[in-house]
């Protein structure tokens, strides 16, 4: 790995894989990416030199050099416990088989696949096809966000990250710009210093800033509770009687993405890509094992 590696990232999004490789100290010679979201591509290209390869379904190994590391987080909507339950045959989550196809074609030395918690039957199918069992890691160990994900990899010596003890209050802006928020709403003095999320279809949930944030997801407003894709706006109290949405900068911090990394597109698109992103420091922790395999 000292001479650098060639990386193929499928479903690359905003390219948190690049961030993680940089933080892990892994030299990258060439980074090839498959992504179709033009806004995510715009942000990825703004921050890193990337060979954009287009739709994963159109890519073949024959147009690539030797790939050392294959990474990706195939779409999870049909696999999620909160999804529609179509599983690996669903229109979006079936893209997992494109990952398997390119894994066989490219024959990289190392691979990493990320996905959400799912029914055991789906997890077993993925494990059988990849030949490894997943490791379950909660992003709460390296960030202020609860985000449990499964990671299938042959990278050696992957363990649980050390708990950094980061809480929601540690990543909040002191004086956030509220220009994109639509007013303030009363929540009552007893909810002071809380994160308040309101759904029409379910009971309110109160989150203490002295604890962890709920999961950042790509919902209608770009940030959602858990894996539920519904219009929702988690908010943090600014006083005993008012609250506000979490800012884009705060959501970047929850995903351990550099401050301002996603600037350059609309707020809606920024929230969406952050919800779809990996927690960069979790991936960096896994990638440190690449040095053990040298």
């Amino acid at each position: 790995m000292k001479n650098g590696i060639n990386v193929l990232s499928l479903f690359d999004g905003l390219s948190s894989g690049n961030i993680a490789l940089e933080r892990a100290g892994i030299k990258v010679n060439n980074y090839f990416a498959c992504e179709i979201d033009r806004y995510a591509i715009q942000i990825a290209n703004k921050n890193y030199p990337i060979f954009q390869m287009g739709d994963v379904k159109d890519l073949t190994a024959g147009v690539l050099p030797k790939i050392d590391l294959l990474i990706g987080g195939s779409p999870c909507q049909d696999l999620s416990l909160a999804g529609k339950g179509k599983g690996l045959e669903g229109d979006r989550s079936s893209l997992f088989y494109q990952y398997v196809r390119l894994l066989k074609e490219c024959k990289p030395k190392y691979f990493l696949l990320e996905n959400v918690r799912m029914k055991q039957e789906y997890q077993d199918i993925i494990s059988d096809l990849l030949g490894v069992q997943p490791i379950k890691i909660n992003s709460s160990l390296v960030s202020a966000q609860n985000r449990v994900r499964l990671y299938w990899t042959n990278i050696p010596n992957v363990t649980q990250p050390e708990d950094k003890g980061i809480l929601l209050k540690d990543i909040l802006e002191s004086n956030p710009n509220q220009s994109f928020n639509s007013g303030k709403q009363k929540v009552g003095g007893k909810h002071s210093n809380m994160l308040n999320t309101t759904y029409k279809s379910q009971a309110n949930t109160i989150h203490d800033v002295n604890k962890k944030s709920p999961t950042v997801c790509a919902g209608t407003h770009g940030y959602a509770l858990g894996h539920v894709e519904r219009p929702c706006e988690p908010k943090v109290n600014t006083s005993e009687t008012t609250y506000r949405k979490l800012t884009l900068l705060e959501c970047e911090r929850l995903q351990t993405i550099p401050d301002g990394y996603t600037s350059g597109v609309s707020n809606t698109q920024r929230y969406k890509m952050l919800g779809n992103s990996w927690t960069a420091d979790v991936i960096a922790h896994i990638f440190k094992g690449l040095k053990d395999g040298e």
Side-chain angles (χ1 to χ4, degrees):
M1 298 297 170
K2 294 180 179 179
N3 295 324
I5 62 174
N6 290 329
V7 180
L8 174 57
S9 175
L10 309 182
F11 326 106
D12 189 56
L14 59 78
S15 207
S16 50
N18 254 316
I19 299 171
L21 286 162
E22 183 177 357
R23 289 182 181 170
I26 305 299
K27 181 182 177 182
V28 176
N29 292 332
N30 297 289
Y31 190 99
F32 301 91
C34 284
E35 178 55 57
I36 58 173
D37 185 311
R38 65 188 180 98
Y39 300 105
I41 291 172
Q42 180 179 334
I43 294 304
N45 288 345
K46 180 192 77 169
N47 287 281
Y48 288 98
I50 299 172
F51 294 100
Q52 294 289 349
M53 307 303 291
D55 193 324
V56 64
K57 292 179 287 188
D58 299 326
L59 181 65
T60 61
V63 301
L64 299 167
K66 171 61 180 175
I67 296 298
D68 303 294
L69 173 65
L70 174 67
I71 61 177
S74 55
C76 65
Q77 291 90 341
D78 300 311
L79 295 172
S80 171
L81 295 175
K84 296 181 179 180
K86 294 182 179 179
L88 290 167
E89 303 309 316
D91 291 342
R92 291 173 289 187
S93 293
S94 62
L95 289 170
F96 159 72
Y97 292 109
Q98 297 295 330
Y99 182 97
V100 175
R101 175 181 65 82
L102 285 163
L103 179 63
K104 292 178 178 177
E105 290 183 13
C106 294
K107 297 180 174 59
K109 184 175 182 180
Y110 297 113
F111 66 84
L112 169 68
L113 177 79
E114 174 267 358
N115 220 300
V116 297
R117 288 178 292 178
M118 61 189 72
K119 291 181 179 179
Q120 189 64 45
E121 62 181 291
Y122 303 149
Q123 182 175 317
D124 289 344
I125 292 171
I126 294 174
S127 298
D128 287 345
L129 287 170
L130 298 183
V132 295
Q133 294 295 319
I135 180 172
K136 182 188 297 183
I137 299 177
N138 192 338
S139 297
S140 65
L141 293 172
V142 299
S143 73
Q145 172 195 189
N146 274 309
R147 188 184 191 89
V148 178
R149 292 294 185 266
L150 300 176
Y151 300 91
W152 287 263
T153 186
N154 66 341
I155 296 172
N157 303 324
V158 177
T159 59
Q160 293 293 321
E162 182 179 349
D163 190 346
K164 295 182 179 181
I166 305 172
L167 303 176
L168 181 55
K169 65 181 180 181
D170 298 323
I171 62 90
L172 296 178
E173 291 190 74
S174 299
N175 297 294
N177 182 349
Q178 296 289 310
S179 62
F180 63 90
N181 292 332
S182 55
K184 296 180 179 180
Q185 304 179 47
K186 295 182 181 299
V187 295
K190 69 177 181 178
H191 295 157
S192 179
N193 294 325
M194 299 288 184
L195 177 69
N196 182 308
T197 305
T198 304
Y199 291 97
K200 293 181 180 179
S201 58
Q202 63 188 63
N204 293 356
T205 303
I206 307 300
H207 296 277
D208 191 336
V209 298
N210 293 303
K211 296 181 180 179
K212 299 287 185 177
S213 163
T215 302
V216 177
C217 286
T220 303
H221 288 81
Y223 184 95
L225 178 65
H227 303 303
V228 183
E229 291 189 304
R230 294 176 182 154
C232 44
E233 298 179 354
K235 302 175 178 70
V236 59
N237 281 46
T238 55
S239 72
E240 290 189 355
T241 58
T242 62
Y243 58 74
R244 63 170 176 81
K245 291 196 303 183
L246 289 173
T247 68
L248 286 157
L249 182 64
E250 289 162 349
C251 288
E252 286 175 333
R253 291 172 178 174
L254 289 174
Q255 287 285 56
T256 62
I257 301 296
D259 287 3
Y261 181 95
T262 61
S263 64
V265 296
S266 71
N267 290 335
T268 298
Q269 294 300 328
R270 292 178 70 183
Y271 278 122
K272 177 182 176 182
M273 68 180 69
L274 284 166
N276 283 329
S277 176
W278 286 337
T279 305
D281 279 358
V282 172
I283 308 303
H285 170 76
I286 294 172
F287 284 165
K288 288 179 181 177
L290 292 170
K291 294 181 177 180
D292 297 329
E294 290 181 353

